[in-house]
Amino acid sequence: MNIVFRSLFILFLFPLFIFSHSDSRSEYFLPMNARSAYAADFDRDGFNDIVVGHASYGQGPAITVMKNSSWGTFEIIDTSKVFNANEDHILSVDVNNDGWPDIVTFYFDFSSGTGVNKIRVYYNDHGVFPNDNHADFNLQRSEPFTDINFGDVNGDGYPDMVVISTNYDFWGILYNNGSGGFLSPAYRYVMTPYKIVCGDLNGDGRDDVVIAGQKTEIWYSYPTYLEHKVLDTNWSDIPAIADFDRDGWNDIVTQAYSTTRLFKNLGNKTFQQLPDLIYPAGVGGLYVADLNNDEYPDLVYCSTTGDLIYYNQGNFLFADSQFVAIPYLGENWINVYFEDLDNNAFKDIITVRGGIPRIYPNLDIRFNDGHGNFTTDPIVSTDNKGVLTKARFANYPNPFHENTTFEFYLPESGMVDIIISGMNGLEITRLKASHFEKGFHSEYWNGLNDHCLPVEGIYLAAITLNGRIIKYLKIIYI
């Protein structure tokens, strides 16, 4: 077991703003045993922040919170949460639907002398996570849990949690009680589950559950029961759910060794298995992310030396791979997350390095310029950098249904436009231009286009000040 010495731990209790020896804005020194990362806008300032999970076993921080100080530069603001954890899959999800993303972790409670597995939720209090503002939910099993994820399985608008135990052949659901907590878990048998994901596969507004492992299995969610179906009898490591051909139905892909299996959703709970995608041996860790903002999910395979990207060209056709090199520092394994960190509307790559000496940075960020280049510095393409740095632009809620409110801060007074465009760059509407004074303001949007029709989908919202675009963000109408 790696132990973070007390002196080092005390150092990390203070806010840090640390880059590597090269002063790159892409490498950070975090407390030891970093295992996973997730990004969300914790303080709703329009910039995505980062939370990192650690294998701490009560000897060091289980969570590191990194604030996005603006345009992809980060400050470590919280390493004070010390408890028994092995956070391979830390999550951020708005558990209580108050518009502020919370932090969800596994917690191993040994206070009674016998290990008890729990889910711990740190509730977001306007951008901070007080140590006393958390709740623990008993998983009621002593066996180790190996994966956790979330989805709205019962379709009530609140996120539910799903968990698996690989060695003990079961998976479970904790339904959200609608008050910021979870009901007691309900477990079901499954042979050697390895990873679990959620997504609506039959278009009924309820997230279904897909489990990879000894088999690939689907559990369809209905109001009073779950319907079980075996999709594939072959072993698979990782499942993913996304609409790869943009036909309105979520498809399934799975990874096994050097093969990715593609399952096209035909509707009516029917899938067509397409020819496998074979990628080079030695590259693993399947992830799905739209890296070029064309609304087609891409396939990414991650290894300790870099990431192999297959861009989705539509209709399950993938372009020749692109390799994004990331320096190898002797790590034993990596974990990856994708999110836009510098507000250029393209998802960047967050890599957590595991099992490396503490003299090396254990978190790496590669910034995506949208043209196939991943750099070590944030992408800020503007001549108005001072105005951009001070401006703020966000919307609440996001994702939203029917309406949302844009909140913004202006560093100077002037004429303001809010322009909403599709990911193809075509404008669908703009809010009426008005003069605003310096300071905080808000504007309501009813979710309709210029033809007074609702426009579900993914869009870019840009705010202009005196004719100059000063901020933009991705919004999702569901």
Side-chain angles (χ1 to χ4, degrees):
M1 178 188 303
N2 292 321
I3 298 176
V4 181
F5 294 105
R6 291 294 178 182
S7 58
L8 181 62
F9 172 63
I10 293 173
L11 170 65
F12 280 119
L13 290 178
F14 297 92
L16 302 177
F17 188 72
I18 300 179
F19 301 121
S20 71
H21 59 276
S22 63
D23 199 33
S24 165
R25 296 186 180 186
S26 69
E27 295 181 325
Y28 292 83
F29 293 88
L30 307 183
M32 289 289 287
N33 300 323
R35 306 281 294 191
S36 61
Y38 206 99
D41 187 3
F42 295 133
D43 50 7
R44 288 174 48 190
D45 65 350
F47 294 94
N48 282 312
D49 311 296
I50 297 174
V51 60
V52 176
H54 299 260
S56 66
Y57 306 105
Q59 301 298 318
I63 295 172
T64 293
V65 179
M66 303 173 67
K67 174 178 171 54
N68 193 333
S69 299
S70 69
W71 302 100
T73 58
F74 289 86
E75 175 187 3
I76 299 174
I77 62 170
D78 189 352
T79 57
S80 63
K81 294 163 179 57
V82 179
F83 56 91
N84 291 301
N86 186 3
E87 301 304 345
D88 285 342
H89 303 281
I90 196 152
L91 301 173
S92 179
V93 56
D94 185 3
V95 172
N96 52 6
N97 272 16
D98 65 352
W100 298 87
D102 309 304
I103 295 173
V104 181
T105 76
F106 276 134
Y107 165 45
F108 307 121
D109 184 1
F110 293 100
S111 59
S112 65
T114 301
V116 178
N117 293 290
K118 298 180 178 180
I119 289 177
R120 171 166 286 189
V121 178
Y122 281 96
Y123 296 101
N124 189 335
D125 185 4
H126 295 83
V128 297
F129 301 90
N131 289 343
D132 59 356
N133 191 24
H134 74 267
D136 296 329
F137 302 94
N138 197 329
L139 289 169
Q140 301 177 4
R141 300 288 292 257
S142 60
E143 300 92 339
F145 288 80
T146 48
D147 196 19
I148 182 171
N149 219 317
F150 66 90
D152 186 6
V153 179
N154 58 1
D156 65 353
Y158 288 86
D160 310 304
M161 306 307 301
V162 294
V163 295
I164 62 171
S165 177
T166 300
N167 295 329
Y168 291 88
D169 299 336
F170 65 84
W171 75 279
I173 304 176
L174 289 82
Y175 289 105
N176 195 311
N177 63 13
S179 301
F182 298 97
L183 303 177
S184 297
Y187 292 109
R188 289 168 175 78
Y189 171 82
V190 63
M191 177 65 75
T192 322
Y194 195 74
K195 296 290 182 183
I196 188 167
V197 293
C198 297
D200 185 4
L201 297 174
N202 56 358
D204 64 354
R206 294 167 167 268
D207 281 340
D208 308 299
V209 178
V210 176
I211 300 173
Q214 188 72 36
K215 304 174 183 178
T216 300
E217 305 184 38
I218 302 173
W219 297 78
Y220 289 100
S221 174
Y222 292 98
T224 59
Y225 67 99
L226 295 175
E227 178 184 338
H228 178 230
K229 178 179 179 179
V230 175
L231 178 68
D232 185 13
T233 58
N234 297 300
W235 172 269
S236 61
D237 298 317
I238 300 172
I241 299 174
D243 186 2
F244 286 93
D245 52 2
R246 290 181 58 193
D247 64 351
W249 294 98
N250 277 324
D251 310 296
I252 297 174
V253 299
T254 62
Q255 177 201 15
Y257 311 110
S258 61
T259 300
T260 296
R261 300 190 184 100
L262 310 173
F263 298 91
K264 175 180 171 58
N265 192 338
L266 302 177
N268 197 30
K269 298 184 293 186
T270 302
F271 288 82
Q272 175 189 3
Q273 184 169 358
L274 303 176
D276 295 342
L277 174 67
I278 308 298
Y279 57 91
V283 178
L286 169 66
Y287 297 83
V288 173
D290 180 8
L291 294 180
N292 55 358
N293 248 354
D294 63 355
E295 298 188 44
Y296 284 97
D298 307 308
L299 300 177
V300 188
Y301 303 89
C302 301
S303 70
T304 55
T305 58
D307 305 324
L308 194 65
I309 303 171
Y310 287 85
Y311 288 103
N312 187 345
Q313 297 180 311
N315 199 30
F316 284 93
L317 299 175
F318 295 89
D320 292 340
S321 63
Q322 173 195 353
F323 185 72
V324 179
I326 296 176
Y328 174 64
L329 302 180
E331 58 265 33
N332 297 327
W333 48 263
I334 54 96
N335 213 329
V336 178
Y337 191 77
F338 303 88
E339 190 51 88
D340 180 16
L341 302 176
D342 54 2
N343 275 30
N344 71 336
F346 291 93
K347 288 187 176 181
D348 308 305
I349 303 174
I350 307 169
T351 302
V352 177
R353 297 185 175 105
I356 62 173
R358 71 186 62 184
I359 61 172
Y360 295 118
N362 52 1
L363 186 137
D364 181 280
I365 301 173
R366 297 290 144 153
F367 296 96
N368 183 357
D369 71 353
H371 301 287
N373 302 306
F374 292 83
T375 74
T376 57
D377 288 301
I379 310 299
V380 181
S381 56
T382 177
D383 295 329
N384 305 298
K385 203 168 182 178
V387 174
L388 278 166
T389 302
K390 297 176 183 178
R392 294 291 183 267
F393 185 41
N395 70 305
Y396 170 73
N398 190 26
F400 64 95
H401 181 65
E402 294 186 349
N403 56 73
T404 189
T405 298
F406 293 101
E407 300 173 341
F408 53 96
Y409 173 81
L410 302 177
E412 59 189 48
S413 61
M415 291 297 295
V416 171
D417 249 337
I418 296 177
I419 305 166
I420 300 165
S421 305
M423 301 304 289
N424 58 5
L426 297 179
E427 180 179 322
I428 66 164
T429 192
R430 67 172 62 200
L431 306 188
K432 185 178 180 180
S434 302
H435 185 276
F436 289 90
E437 298 297 323
K438 174 183 176 180
F440 288 96
H441 304 277
S442 63
E443 282 288 303
Y444 171 86
W445 180 44
N446 59 8
L448 304 180
N449 63 13
D450 285 339
H451 303 288
C452 295
L453 298 175
V455 285
E456 295 183 2
I458 302 174
Y459 299 94
L460 288 180
I463 184 170
T464 69
L465 178 62
N466 296 323
R468 307 188 312 270
I469 294 178
I470 58 171
K471 291 279 289 180
Y472 45 89
L473 56 90
K474 183 182 291 186
I475 61 176
I476 304 174
Y477 186 154
I478 58 176

